[in-house]
Amino acid sequence: NAGVTQTPKFQVLKTGQSMTLQCAQDMNHEYMSWYRQDPGMGLRLIHYSVGAGITDQGEVPNGYNVSRSTTEDFPLRLLSAAPSQTSVYFCASTLAGENEQFFGPGTRLTVL
Amino acid sequence: QQPVQSPQAVILREGEDAVINCSSSKALYSVHWYRQKHGEAPVFLMILLKGGEQKGHEKISASFNEKKQQSSLYLTASQLSYSGTYFCGTRDRGSTLGRLYFGRGTQLTVWP
């Protein structure tokens, strides 16, 4: 099993550009989440999904869109990148119920 | 609601003990603990559930006081490998499964 994979690992964008961060898992997990991590702020939930076709907002959803058409994939879209979105982004997945979250390796995004 | 962790940082010598605390202003159903090494993804340590059930590492202990909405992580006889940033994640009673709020982290450094 590859676990949770994220692409790309690094990305530099200009203000106003759009892009999609990819996340995939091969563990047949129902739940998937996107977090951003900024220095001193911990992990903040952006969006999460409890199954294909079902998504909901987390703490900091503004400027981001998600969709979940399959169990395996949960892409995060930045609609119009801003310098405030410079961060490290982690995708995580977990089995339904109260279980450990498996994190992907992260994507380091810089918006100039 | 982001839980509050204390202390923000701890410096230890090998073999010393440490306690990391996590508290919330909301009634909690569960508390998750993760450790993150620099430049890596968070890794699961354990989950404490309302009612006393625990899932996770046998060598790391933790407590969950449901009445006070507090959890503590106990690291005994610390090893160099314990160094990293520790995060607690909490799920409020009544919130959706899979929706975790993480604290800002406690940086633990163990010196030889």
Side-chain angles (χ1 to χ4, degrees):
Chain A
N1 286 350
V4 181
T5 58
Q6 291 183 238
T7 55
K9 288 189 176 180
F10 301 94
Q11 183 70 48
V12 179
L13 292 178
K14 293 182 179 178
T15 297
Q17 287 184 314
S18 62
M19 81 158 295
T20 299
L21 306 186
Q22 301 292 344
C23 174
Q25 53 90 11
D26 61 359
M27 298 175 281
N28 203 31
H29 285 173
E30 292 279 342
Y31 297 170
M32 296 185 75
S33 303
W34 275 104
Y35 296 92
R36 60 176 289 173
Q37 185 172 36
D38 303 295
M41 297 299 292
L43 294 154
R44 290 185 291 170
L45 183 65
I46 305 172
H47 286 284
Y48 66 102
S49 169
V50 297
I54 307 169
T55 64
D56 203 351
Q57 296 181 351
E59 303 167 77
V60 288
N62 293 340
Y64 307 95
N65 271 359
V66 292
S67 60
R68 186 133 177 241
S69 55
T70 67
T71 300
E72 294 77 20
D73 300 299
F74 191 41
L76 178 72
R77 296 181 191 84
L78 278 71
L79 308 172
S80 176
S84 60
Q85 293 178 306
T86 293
S87 188
V88 179
Y89 291 84
F90 287 102
C91 177
S93 74
T94 183
L95 282 168
E98 203 76 45
N99 290 290
E100 69 174 282
Q101 295 206 0
F102 292 83
F103 284 83
T107 294
R108 185 174 294 274
L109 176 69
T110 302
V111 183
L112 303 175
Chain B
Q1 191 78 20
Q2 190 175 38
V4 177
Q5 286 186 237
S6 63
Q8 286 186 316
V10 183
I11 299 176
L12 297 173
R13 292 281 185 186
E14 259 188 307
E16 293 182 337
D17 302 337
V19 180
I20 300 172
N21 301 302
C22 175
S23 64
S24 174
S25 59
K26 295 209 166 189
L28 299 177
Y29 182 83
S30 66
V31 180
H32 297 222
W33 286 97
Y34 291 79
R35 177 170 61 209
Q36 185 180 32
K37 303 274 187 178
H38 183 68
E40 299 180 5
V43 174
F44 170 76
L45 293 175
M46 67 191 321
I47 299 172
L48 300 113
L49 300 172
K50 175 177 173 297
E53 184 182 352
Q54 293 187 25
K55 300 183 185 182
H57 268 271
E58 295 177 0
K59 292 187 177 181
I60 293 176
S61 62
S63 63
F64 178 22
N65 186 324
E66 299 167 34
K67 290 184 179 179
K68 293 186 176 181
Q69 291 90 249
Q70 292 176 348
S71 177
S72 295
L73 186 70
Y74 305 99
L75 301 163
T76 57
S78 58
Q79 305 169 17
L80 296 177
S81 61
Y82 286 9
S83 291
T85 302
Y86 290 76
F87 294 98
C88 68
T90 57
R91 184 163 77 83
D92 305 337
R93 288 188 208 172
S95 68
T96 311
L97 276 169
R99 183 175 183 142
L100 285 183
Y101 292 97
F102 281 93
R104 297 191 178 196
T106 295
Q107 189 168 355
L108 180 74
T109 304
V110 182
W111 293 96

